[in-house]
Structure formats: C-alpha cells, structure tokens
Amino acid sequence: MTVEGKAYKYGDNVDTDVIIPARYLNSSDPGHLKAHCMEDIDPTFAGSVAEGDIMVAGENFGCGSSREHAPVAIKASGISLVIASGFARIFYRNSINVGLPIMECPEASSKINAGDVVRADFDTGLITDITTGETFTARPFPEFIKKIIDAGGLVPYTGQKAGQ
Amino acid sequence: MGMTVSAKILADHAGLGSVLPGDLVEARLDLVLGNDVTTPPAIDIMKKTGKDKVFDKDKVVLVPDHFTPNKDIKSAELSKKLQDFVCSQCLTNVFELGRKNMGIEHVILPENGLVFPGDLIIGADSHTCTYGALGAFSTGVGSTDLACAMASGSTWFKVPEAIKIVLKGKLSRYVTAKDVILHLIGMIGVSGALYKSLEFEGEGVHEISMDGRLTIANMAIECGAKNAVFPVDEVTLAYMEKTNPSRLREGRYKVYYPDEDAPYSDVITIDLSEVPLTVALPHLPSNTAKASEIKAMKIDQVVIGSCTNGRYEDIKTAAEILRGKKVKSGVRCIVIPGSQKIYRRALDEGLLAVFDDAGCVISTPTCGPCLGGHMGVLAKGERCVSTTNRNFVGRMGSPDSEVILAGVPVAAASAVKGEVATPDDI
C-alpha cells in the first residue's frame, strides 16, 4: 500500500498533551478530537491538513500520557502516515492498535522539509521525498506487529482468540 | 543468560521458564486498570471483540478520577458510562466519590491492598508504572489494549531491556524521592530509558519510604521507561501488612530477585546525599535545575498533590513547612490529598487546619489541575510550581502558561515566598 501527501514537520518530544490537549478529552469522538489536533503547537494544522497528508517529526514522538485519543485525533485529521526518528512506547502501541500507520526513519525525519510532497510504501518501507527526489528506507515492522495487522488490528485479533 | 526481575515476572505470567530482552510473550494479567478518560472508549471497543463480560470481576478496576467531581456535562457522561459498566459487570471494586476507598487511581490501588509483589498489571494510564514500587511489573497502555485485556485477561509484551539504578547513601534535609527521580530524568533525558525497565537496587533503597518509592516509580514514564521495579524489603512487607494483611499471610504473592548475571544495558549509580533540591523548568521534565539556583522567578499558583505527590507523607511534609506561615498574597496554593483516607487522616491530625490557616485551597481527591482538567487551570502568562509529573506546553491550561515541577518542600516554600524557593528561603 502506498500513501502520498504534503509533509507537516515537527521537532523532538512531541507529547500527547500537544497532540490533543486534556481539556478536550471529555469526549473521545474522532470528529471532536480532530478539530483540536496539534492546537497548542500548530494552531493552523486542523484547518489546513488535507486527507492523505503526512506528519514528520523527530525523537520520542507521542511521549507522555497514554491517551489513545492522540493517534485517533491524528488519524481522524486525515494524516495517512507519521514518520518519526522514534516513537514513545505507549503511542507506538496505540497507533498499531487503532490503525494509524507509523514508520521509524531518522534520516527521512531530518531531511524531509515542511511542505514537501512525500510518498511512502508500507510493504517495502521505501519513503520518497518527491519534492527533493531523495529516497529513504524505513525500518520494517517487527514480526509480531505484522501478525496483529494481518488480523486487522488488535480488536479482531482478540475477537478471533475469544472465538477459539 | 540470567534474568532481571521484570523478565522473571513476565516469564512466569507467560508460563515460560526463561525469556530474553526482545522476546514477545503473551502473559496473563493480575490486574487491569482504567479511568474516566480511557475506560469509556474501551467499553465500546470491548463490545466489538464479541465479549460481553470481563474476564474476572475481581481483577478489573475502574477509577473515575481525572475530571471528577465531574467538571462539565461531557465528563459527567464519561463517569456515568464508567459507573454503569462497573454496575452491569458486577465488578468487586466500586469507587464512589467521598467513600473511604476512593481517590486518585495510583494512590488508592496500593492503599487498598490491590497491588502485591510479583503481580503483572496493565492500566490505561501512563502512570500505571507506579506499582513497581511494590515489586510488581506494571505499565501503561491505551484504551484498545485495556478493552482487549478486560475481555481476555491477557496481553502481549515485548520483554524490555533494563537499566540498573543503584541508590546509595542518605538523602539530605528536605530532599525527597521526587528530587531523586527528577535528578535521574535530568541525567538521562525524557527518552533516556525508552522501552526499558528501570530496576532499582542498593542500600540507599532502604532509606526511601514506600510513599517515596511510589513517587519514583510513578515518574519512570517521564524518561520513557516501560516500568520501574524496586526490590521487596521490610518496608514493602510492612506496607502490605497495613494494606492487605490477609493476602500477606496467605502468601499470595511472589518476590523476585535478579540473577547475578542478569543483563543490563546500563548501570547508573546515584549517591542520595548528593541529590539537590531539584526542579524541572518548562517545558520538559528533563529540563532540571537546582532549586537553590532559581532566583526571582515569580509564581501565580502552587499545586501540592497528584498520583506523584499526593500521599500522606507529602501532605504531612507540606503542612510542616506551611505551619504558622501564610501563602503569599496573589498566589493560589491548592492542596489535593490523593485519597479519601489521606484526606481524613490529614483532617484528624489537624493538617487541613494548617493549610486553611496558611490560606490554601483544600480539594477533594482528583487528578484535576495536573492535566489541566479543572480545580486550578492556568491563564495565559501564569506560572505554577507543581508537585505533579509533567510540564509540557499547555499541560495545566493555557499553552502560554508555565509549569515548574518540584518536590513538596520546594512547592510549599514557593507558595510562601511567591517565587521559586527552598525551605531555607522562608
């Protein structure tokens, strides 16, 4: 599967409080969450992001609170992929569980510029910055993640086990 | 190769003789936790798994604490959804506001005797790592993991690598466990222990009370750690005797020790006597500085409480510093005992009167201001010294406000001085 979109670029340690501030956690409705996604570090994001756009960030993306509302908000915004140098543990797990594609690639993270058009292939891990022509290869998903993805996410995976 | 304490707990719960860092295991859970923010989505997700009953009504613990007492209509709906589920599932542990067992989740689970050494616990709250203080393996997850764990009683784990933290020496006057963990986070950074366990040992551990160990384990997530674990000693056993003597006597727990050849990716030694009163300046918990070196930094608010520092020792320490003093004019000092039991003990011992005389606000137990929920949200340009655990942009309110993390003595002293201060300054 391939995705393509415009890059929104952020720095290191983007925490879940700025991805979706706690003052909006009184609802878990994706439509409500996407309206406030990234609001505290990029007030223009929610109004400008288009379906398929790609988020690019540095180290420790998604650190802080365990709120699954964070990957839900990003996914609901239309973001098709988050590329980061690295992800915080709970956010990584939550993203897989809710079906938000993520890729770890420090080189792509440092070289892709805000506004570049980026294409990524989930099967090969190939990331192409169409604006600059540079290509990068992301670390592939570990085997255990593939199993959950093959089942269609953690919920159907658990449903299958419950039915055994 | 030998195993760490974390690896042994995971191996036993997965029915395996041994595991290595990086191994993936499916393990049975002793306790599954959710709160009023993370449980409502999990209830909907659990329905989609096709299971309509939780795996064990004794082992699913759901605590409304983040926005309670409900701050608005939407949060009232969240609490109602949680409590309706607790009722329909006939869960053993019911937490109602104002009742003796009630309070902030990571304060009340240990206090109510629900956590024991060797337990494997997940919670849909990042500070679930708190329970490592008692020698348990516990870690935070999201709502989907919570939902599936409520349904199945198990989840998957990647066996983490570990960093050994050796504590030696004794803490200086006024220096607390909070200073130790802020000091460590300052040393290794907010991703310094990413995906890893922090395994504490050394003679200095025995100098730290259970309340202090809970504070240290609580903030392991702030350096990216998956969990933190303390050795089980006389302090642990005395705490269990107080909180759940029957389970202690029945021996329904297991104490794990690391193998001599257990692998550690790093070993860090901290001499407790050299840890200074420490603060974390905006906007990362790793942005630490010596409290004594922060001069003329005016503040608008102080918060003393939370799952990090809302325990009895914290409240008592705050009262000792504030006794006979007054909160500086123009500063709001909000004191939030972490549980109803702590609130009552503080009431019986006259500590709440000390706070009232000093001019503090005293709140019912809630996470409230820690996450900018309610009970002390900051305006644009305001600055707060807080005993909570995060000082990210907008954490406590306006994205243009600032939070400085500190231990209780610095927070209480700062309330009196009206600027960042140590007890020696007042």
Side-chain angles (χ1 to χ4, degrees):
Chain A
M1 184 185 168
T2 302
V3 295
E4 185 176 317
K6 187 170 61 115
Y8 281 82
K9 182 134 188 202
Y10 303 102
D12 292 339
N13 303 312
V14 172
D15 62 78
T16 53
D17 275 280
V18 296
I19 294 171
I20 183 70
R23 58 186 178 273
Y24 302 119
L25 298 185
N26 55 6
S27 166
S28 57
D29 171 51
H32 161 80
L33 297 173
K34 78 174 184 183
H36 303 288
C37 187
M38 311 303 285
E39 182 175 290
D40 284 357
I41 55 165
D42 184 358
T44 65
F45 174 80
S48 65
V49 66
E51 193 70 30
D53 282 351
I54 288 169
M55 199 176 275
V56 180
E59 293 288 349
N60 204 26
F61 186 88
C63 62
S65 155
S66 69
R67 61 190 70 159
E68 200 162 289
H69 310 63
V72 168
I74 293 173
K75 190 181 176 192
S77 302
I79 290 289
S80 61
L81 168 68
V82 181
I83 300 168
S85 301
F87 293 90
R89 186 190 68 83
I90 303 174
F91 183 90
Y92 186 95
R93 195 170 168 123
N94 286 346
S95 297
I96 302 293
N97 287 345
V98 305
L100 172 69
I102 54 177
M103 284 182 171
E104 281 187 346
C105 187
E107 201 189 359
S109 156
S110 67
K111 292 195 173 163
I112 293 171
N113 307 301
D116 287 359
V117 176
V118 176
R119 182 186 298 155
D121 186 325
F122 296 157
D123 298 321
T124 62
L126 186 70
I127 299 169
T128 307
D129 186 329
I130 294 171
T131 306
T132 64
E134 284 195 271
T135 59
F136 317 95
T137 307
R139 296 181 209 170
F141 277 131
E143 201 58 36
F144 71 98
I145 298 293
K146 281 184 189 159
K147 281 185 190 165
I148 293 173
I149 290 172
D150 285 348
L154 190 62
V155 170
Y157 177 72
T158 303
Q160 283 173 9
K161 282 197 300 180
Q164 278 171 5
Chain B
M1 194 193 290
M3 287 195 284
T4 61
V5 171
S6 298
K8 286 186 178 184
I9 295 174
L10 289 173
D12 261 7
H13 285 78
L16 299 169
S18 71
V19 294
L20 293 171
D23 283 357
L24 301 165
V25 300
E26 187 159 45
R28 67 178 173 77
L29 299 164
D30 295 306
L31 209 62
V32 176
L33 165 72
N35 60 46
D36 50 323
V37 169
T38 57
T39 304
I43 292 169
D44 296 334
I45 296 164
M46 192 179 112
K47 278 185 196 145
K48 291 183 196 161
T49 70
K51 286 266 287 185
D52 57 4
K53 283 284 172 194
V54 300
F55 80 104
D56 187 329
K57 65 187 174 60
D58 297 330
K59 294 183 176 176
V60 175
V61 180
L62 305 175
V63 184
D65 61 357
H66 275 54
F67 294 148
T68 54
N70 301 325
K71 77 182 183 89
D72 55 22
I73 295 169
K74 282 182 175 174
S75 57
E77 299 293 347
L78 296 178
S79 284
K80 184 171 187 297
K81 185 164 180 170
L82 182 151
Q83 293 296 27
D84 286 350
F85 185 77
V86 168
C87 184
S88 68
Q89 295 284 328
C90 306
L91 301 190
T92 314
N93 291 287
V94 180
F95 300 99
E96 293 180 280
L97 299 197
R99 304 304 200 278
K100 288 286 179 279
N101 66 344
M102 188 44 179
I104 298 171
E105 52 193 325
H106 307 309
V107 176
I108 64 173
L109 262 60
E111 191 180 79
N112 289 323
L114 293 169
V115 178
F116 265 63
D119 283 354
L120 180 58
I121 301 168
I122 64 164
D125 187 278
S126 60
H127 293 107
T128 303
C129 50
T130 306
Y131 314 128
L134 288 134
F137 183 104
S138 63
T139 193
V141 298
S143 294
T144 299
D145 280 318
L146 168 63
C148 295
M150 287 198 300
S152 69
S154 66
T155 195
W156 61 265
F157 294 91
K158 189 172 179 181
V159 179
E161 288 185 32
I163 299 175
K164 186 197 283 190
I165 311 289
V166 182
L167 302 182
K168 62 175 194 176
K170 291 187 179 187
L171 292 168
S172 308
R173 188 166 186 239
Y174 294 128
V175 177
T176 63
K178 179 65 163 287
D179 300 291
V180 176
I181 187 64
L182 287 176
H183 183 69
L184 175 64
I185 296 164
M187 286 168 71
I188 67 175
V190 288
S191 57
L194 194 59
Y195 293 90
K196 295 180 181 175
S197 299
L198 296 179
E199 299 218 343
F200 288 85
E201 64 165 69
E203 90 269 4
V205 167
H206 311 297
E207 299 294 324
I208 298 177
S209 67
M210 184 50 67
D211 281 3
R213 294 178 196 187
L214 289 159
T215 297
I216 290 174
N218 173 272
M219 286 191 70
I221 178 71
E222 309 315 335
C223 52
K226 182 170 192 164
N227 70 309
V229 66
F230 276 79
V232 174
D233 65 1
E234 68 289 346
V235 172
T236 325
L237 295 172
Y239 187 85
M240 289 152 54
E241 174 66 36
K242 197 174 65 181
T243 56
N244 193 340
S246 60
R247 183 170 168 188
L248 177 65
R249 297 215 179 89
E250 289 159 17
R252 286 188 292 115
Y253 65 97
K254 188 167 176 184
V255 178
Y256 292 86
Y257 302 94
D259 290 327
E260 280 187 11
D261 59 343
Y264 296 96
S265 65
D266 203 357
V267 178
I268 296 169
T269 300
I270 296 177
D271 184 342
L272 297 176
S273 68
E274 291 177 359
V275 174
L277 286 172
T278 304
V279 295
L281 299 171
H283 289 286
L284 283 177
S286 58
N287 191 18
T288 54
K290 286 183 184 173
S292 60
E293 292 177 356
I294 307 299
K295 302 292 182 197
M297 190 177 275
K298 299 277 184 209
I299 60 169
D300 304 282
Q301 179 169 298
V302 168
V303 171
I304 296 172
S306 83
C307 62
T308 309
N309 275 131
R311 296 186 180 80
Y312 171 70
E313 263 182 28
D314 300 312
I315 301 304
K316 186 164 185 286
T317 301
E320 281 167 3
I321 290 168
L322 289 167
R323 189 181 298 275
K325 302 276 200 313
K326 294 286 181 197
V327 172
K328 182 84 171 179
S329 175
V331 175
R332 311 176 293 268
C333 181
I334 303 166
V335 180
I336 311 177
S339 73
Q340 204 66 30
K341 281 180 191 155
I342 295 165
Y343 189 103
R344 179 55 187 262
R345 188 171 172 191
L347 179 67
D348 290 344
E349 294 182 4
L351 306 182
L352 299 189
V354 171
F355 296 131
D356 186 60
D357 287 342
C360 302
V361 180
I362 306 162
S363 165
T364 189
T366 179
C367 303
C370 173
L371 74 160
H374 64 157
M375 284 303 298
V377 173
L378 298 175
K380 181 178 180 180
E382 286 195 323
R383 183 183 288 142
C384 178
V385 173
S386 181
T387 68
T388 54
N389 41 56
R390 292 192 174 126
N391 55 351
F392 300 147
V393 171
R395 172 73 178 179
M396 201 175 268
S398 166
D400 297 314
S401 62
E402 292 185 348
V403 176
I404 295 166
L405 302 177
V408 170
V410 168
S414 300
V416 173
K417 191 130 193 244
E419 58 188 61
V420 177
T422 71
D424 290 329
D425 296 329
I426 60 169

